[in-house]
Amino acid sequence: MTPSDELPIDAQLPAIRQALVDHNRALLVAEPGAGKTTRVPLALLNEAWCRGEHGEGRLLLLEPRRVAARLAAGFMAESLGEPVGQTVGYRMRGESRVGPDTRLEVVTQGVLTRMLQDDPLLEGVSGIVFDEFHERSLEADLGLALALDAQSVRDDLRLLVMSATLDVEALLGVLGSETPLIESQGRSFPVQTHYRPLGSRSNSRLGSRDDAAVQQAGAVVEALSMSEGDALVFLPGVAEIRRLARELASRQPELAIRELHGRLPLEEQRRALKPEPDGRRRVVLATAIAESSVTVDGVRIVIDAGQERVPVFQPRSGLSRLETRRVNRASADQRRGRAGRQGPGLCLRLWAEEQPLPAHGEPEMLQADLAPLAFELARWGIVEPAGLAWITPPPAGALAAGRRLLQRLGLMDEGFLLTELGRACVRWPTHPRLAAMLTRAGELDAEPLACALVATLEGRDLVDEQDLERTLQACLAQPAARRQWQREAQRLARIGGVRLEVETLAPLGELLALAYPDRVAQRIHHDAGPGRFRLASGGLATLPERHPLAHAELLVAADLDGQASGARIFRGVAIERARLEALFPETGEWRASLEWSEEQGRLIGEQVRGLGAVVLERRPLASLPPEAVREALLEALRRRGELPFDDSAEQLRGRVALLRRELGSGRDREDWPDWSLPALMEELEAWLGPHLDGIKSLDALSRLPLERYLLDSLDWSLRSRLDALAPERLEVPSGSRIRLDYMPCLEGRAPVLAVKLQEVFGWRESPRIADGRVAVLLHLLSPARRPLQVTADLASFWANGYPEVRREMRGRYPKHPWPEDPLTAVATARTKPRP
């Protein structure tokens, strides 16, 4: 190795090796450019613990993205002078290049979960390296939790978690405080950073989306004039990439404009990563796929739009919605660093320098559909998630929603374990919805069609196609023109043991209904015209009036934008009523249906038969069953999205929110419940349902003692400590017992004590609660009870702020004490100190 080949991580390799000799877990924090992804796994291959008894030990390197996995494997194989598939190989969904001599497998994160589920002891695997763990994908969190569980039986299995940025304290809380931590500097050149906030409108004739592309194109042209080298532009999604590509092509046709995102075929991804053979300057328009792991050769310029697009799951609607958000500060710094990988660089940030950014991104665990996680936990045999070690435990509401879906699909029983159908779905490497469809397709004699349909629904290169039936027909007619689709459909057919020969699309609607029973939709006959539908889940969905399906009586929506009310349907297929009734026998059962009418202010009841909120037939209801009344009231509350809490209930929620935040929840921590509004809405049946007997209106419900119901639901061991940890009142030096305000704790802030300044003379420091973890925010009041100072640092106020307050107030309130030394003065609630 020549000096120029050396990377910063090389100096830390001995420490990493020794850490994994002495321990079976380690953390590595290495800045971008350190070389951790390709240097560390190769350095571990020849360690005694990794070779195994007969030299057969394997090492797994987890990468968050497919393109990163392929590139890392290729680079390491090349450094050994070998092709991929010998010592170093890779494995991902639908693609594998490993051989009998492969000892280092680069795998995507979902592959690890399947490997662990198939072989919980990971026989033959000596260690697992989690790369880029800071991205906190759902699969990475689950993979680490399962690997730690496996390690409790196999203590010779080594785990190394590494990233450019890590929440070290949180990880050590899971891995153990004795886990060694190794840190490495990165290799980077200086990067000049400039801020160019985009104006709200640069051309009044253009729509806002095109206007943004015009301004972004101007920033790209400016950056290219300021620095040498190629440019990498970070944008939130494919639509923005394509708009900017069109604008740049019209302005600067001499540029090579390349896209880089997950929908592209592998060949185009590789092409985007390498400089142009003819030497033209290139501009790479990328999503967050280029943020880490991947090095884009030749880039000396980064233009960052400062946004990212993330799917956010909403347990109430059971849908995920794509949200465009401000990028977090850690990601922005990662993006900036891309300009300094191979030489001095330039970064243009398209926002104002004073624009605040969140420090870190939210773990996917907190914003994802947890049905796949619930399925994997059930397969692992875990009923209570606290049985595993989580950095971020699964949110109760989202996990409950995932379990309800699995039960609706028939994959999970009431005890949260897999049914016979659920176990049959294990073989399919796809979402449980689609696995249920693939497994049950034989009931319709439509296994080949199901394989083709799943490949169409999941095809990265087909997501822009909105006519699902026509897209599927085109794929089946010319499969060679859709190679990615063809590979996936054939792979699923091999797993299912069928030939990919589709004779008819007739069962298409039924297949979709097997996967999406909650998205069966019925047209609403309304004066507003066609295109309005009610989903079986209860929500509303719409299609453009001119859409071919706008007049369909029944359809199944495969893609929705996630809005709980008025969701847009992107892809769907019509289904006949007779086929729906044959597919779901429960549609023949009559049931009582009650709904709260906001217009009439009362419950409206009838008997119906159908699928959820899709009603196929109605008839009058003679009486109102108590169970139906209770459920109707609960559903009315869910739709309103609020609960009639009085001040005492809100204060109680704030107290518990504070203790949950400070003292925690889950494994090895006090299990303070989540009483946020979304969590309580998800658990209405459990904590409020039993108290609704005899209640028939929302007005009567608002008079119920909700504070007492919440207290009754609190575990006795926690309830007995509540007053000591978060007291309702605090005694101040004057002897008064003053009520604390815990409402700010519902928003993550400290509790407030509003008290006259004279009553806290003698208090040297701000009072603390929650086992001394939280300083109370003091609102120090004048004799007229107007705020004089807000502080959580009373000692600093006495030393620095009080002299000025005393100077101003002693003349205004001469009957009240304003001593020079408040620390030795007698506190009083009166106008004069007591003798």
Side-chain angles (χ1 to χ4, degrees), residues 617-697:
E617 193 173 353
R618 307 171 185 270
R619 67 188 185 192
L621 181 66
S623 60
L624 303 183
E627 288 292 325
V629 171
R630 180 167 65 245
E631 183 52 42
L633 288 171
L634 293 176
E635 183 57 29
L637 286 174
R638 294 187 187 104
R639 290 185 181 179
R640 284 190 171 190
E642 58 185 29
L643 291 164
F645 288 129
D646 59 15
D647 182 70
S648 61
E650 292 286 61
Q651 293 293 334
L652 174 61
R653 289 179 59 227
R655 294 165 73 193
V656 171
L658 173 72
L659 297 178
R660 177 178 173 83
R661 184 172 72 246
E662 297 300 329
L663 302 180
S665 64
R667 182 169 175 158
D668 300 328
R669 306 187 77 186
E670 294 186 351
D671 197 15
W672 291 96
D674 181 359
W675 282 354
S676 65
L677 188 58
L680 288 174
M681 282 293 188
E682 286 298 320
E683 299 296 328
L684 277 179
E685 182 69 41
W687 71 272
L688 182 58
H691 305 286
L692 296 184
D693 289 345
I695 302 296
K696 294 185 179 179
S697 72

Side-chain angles (χ1 to χ4, degrees), residues 181-334:
L181 170 65
I182 303 102
E183 298 185 68
S184 173
Q185 300 296 313
R187 182 175 74 177
S188 62
F189 294 90
V191 177
Q192 292 185 13
T193 305
H194 301 276
Y195 291 84
R196 297 287 189 272
L198 301 184
S200 59
R201 308 286 287 178
S202 65
N203 187 329
S204 60
R205 294 175 300 167
L206 297 175
S208 60
R209 292 179 178 177
D210 288 332
D211 190 46
V214 169
Q215 295 181 70
Q216 290 163 355
V220 172
V221 172
E222 178 189 1
L224 291 171
S225 69
M226 295 170 64
S227 177
E228 298 178 348
D230 294 334
L232 174 61
V233 186
F234 284 99
L235 294 162
V238 175
E240 290 83 358
I241 284 175
R242 291 177 178 168
R243 281 194 289 269
L244 181 53
R246 288 193 296 269
E247 182 64 28
L248 282 172
S250 67
R251 286 195 187 198
Q252 305 278 323
E254 72 279 5
L255 292 175
I257 300 168
R258 302 292 175 221
E259 297 182 11
L260 181 58
H261 50 79
R263 295 187 194 173
L264 291 175
L266 174 60
E267 296 76 13
E268 291 187 44
Q269 290 180 347
R270 287 174 173 164
R271 185 179 178 188
L273 295 171
K274 298 183 180 297
E276 292 299 305
D278 58 8
R280 285 186 301 160
R281 292 189 83 177
R282 90 189 192 284
V283 178
V284 180
L285 310 180
T287 60
I289 192 173
E291 196 172 290
S292 58
S293 299
V294 175
T295 295
V296 187
D297 284 340
V299 165
R300 302 281 286 276
I301 301 167
V302 164
I303 299 100
D304 186 0
Q307 295 178 316
E308 61 180 351
R309 187 160 293 139
V310 294
V312 178
F313 181 68
Q314 299 167 309
R316 273 192 64 224
S317 65
L319 302 173
S320 291
R321 184 181 73 248
L322 283 176
E323 285 189 359
T324 302
R325 298 178 171 179
R326 281 280 179 192
V327 71
N328 62 77
R329 193 162 61 247
S331 291
D333 289 343
Q334 287 265 35

Side-chain angles (χ1 to χ4, degrees), residues 466-772:
Q466 295 195 8
D467 190 321
L468 183 58
E469 190 167 354
R470 185 177 299 176
T471 301
L472 184 54
Q473 286 173 334
C475 290
L476 290 167
Q478 294 183 308
R482 308 286 183 111
R483 292 183 181 179
Q484 192 172 344
W485 174 89
Q486 185 182 38
R487 284 196 299 267
E488 180 65 8
Q490 289 177 339
R491 185 174 75 96
L492 292 171
R494 285 195 298 271
I495 294 173
V498 298
R499 294 175 62 86
L500 194 63
E501 297 176 353
V502 177
E503 297 179 358
T504 176
L505 299 187
L508 193 56
E510 293 161 275
L511 286 173
L512 273 182
L514 289 173
Y516 301 101
D518 50 328
R519 297 187 193 175
V520 172
Q522 182 178 40
R523 186 159 73 90
I524 300 172
H525 293 270
H526 193 275
D527 292 341
R532 288 172 52 83
F533 294 85
R534 183 174 298 282
L535 300 169
S537 59
L540 299 178
T542 62
L543 279 170
E545 288 189 17
R546 295 185 179 180
H547 193 283
L549 292 176
H551 291 271
E553 288 300 317
L554 293 166
L555 60 79
V556 188
D559 288 332
L560 294 164
D561 71 355
Q563 298 292 339
S565 60
R568 290 179 300 163
I569 300 172
F570 291 118
R571 295 196 291 185
V573 173
I575 185 171
E576 297 175 7
R577 173 171 168 166
R579 289 179 179 268
L580 183 68
E581 291 177 322
L583 195 62
F584 296 103
E586 62 265 36
T587 58
E589 300 172 3
W590 290 93
R591 67 182 189 277
S593 172
L594 284 85
E595 286 192 3
W596 177 261
S597 170
E598 294 286 355
E599 294 81 7
Q600 301 182 38
R602 65 184 182 89
L603 288 171
I604 298 176
E606 58 186 351
Q607 275 196 317
V608 300
R609 67 178 188 86
L611 187 67
V614 170
V615 177
L616 302 178
E617 193 173 353
R618 307 171 185 270
R619 67 188 185 192
L621 181 66
S623 60
L624 303 183
E627 288 292 325
V629 171
R630 180 167 65 245
E631 183 52 42
L633 288 171
L634 293 176
E635 183 57 29
L637 286 174
R638 294 187 187 104
R639 290 185 181 179
R640 284 190 171 190
E642 58 185 29
L643 291 164
F645 288 129
D646 59 15
D647 182 70
S648 61
E650 292 286 61
Q651 293 293 334
L652 174 61
R653 289 179 59 227
R655 294 165 73 193
V656 171
L658 173 72
L659 297 178
R660 177 178 173 83
R661 184 172 72 246
E662 297 300 329
L663 302 180
S665 64
R667 182 169 175 158
D668 300 328
R669 306 187 77 186
E670 294 186 351
D671 197 15
W672 291 96
D674 181 359
W675 282 354
S676 65
L677 188 58
L680 288 174
M681 282 293 188
E682 286 298 320
E683 299 296 328
L684 277 179
E685 182 69 41
W687 71 272
L688 182 58
H691 305 286
L692 296 184
D693 289 345
I695 302 296
K696 294 185 179 179
S697 72
L698 293 179
D699 286 342
L701 189 149
S702 67
R703 295 190 291 271
L704 294 175
L706 300 186
E707 178 193 18
R708 178 162 60 82
Y709 298 161
L710 286 175
L711 269 176
D712 289 345
S713 71
L714 192 63
D715 183 87
W716 176 251
S717 64
L718 299 180
R719 185 171 176 178
S720 64
R721 300 187 63 214
L722 178 63
D723 287 338
L725 293 169
E728 290 187 77
R729 296 177 178 271
L730 276 184
E731 184 172 341
V732 298
S734 68
S736 300
R737 290 181 56 78
I738 299 179
R739 188 170 179 264
L740 281 159
D741 181 8
Y742 285 95
M743 291 281 282
C745 300
L746 293 172
E747 299 176 355
R749 294 180 281 127
V752 170
L753 183 71
V755 57
K756 288 184 180 180
L757 187 149
Q758 283 77 12
E759 295 201 57
V760 298
F761 289 158
W763 248 356
R764 294 183 175 272
E765 295 182 348
S766 298
R768 305 184 74 86
I769 60 174
D771 272 347

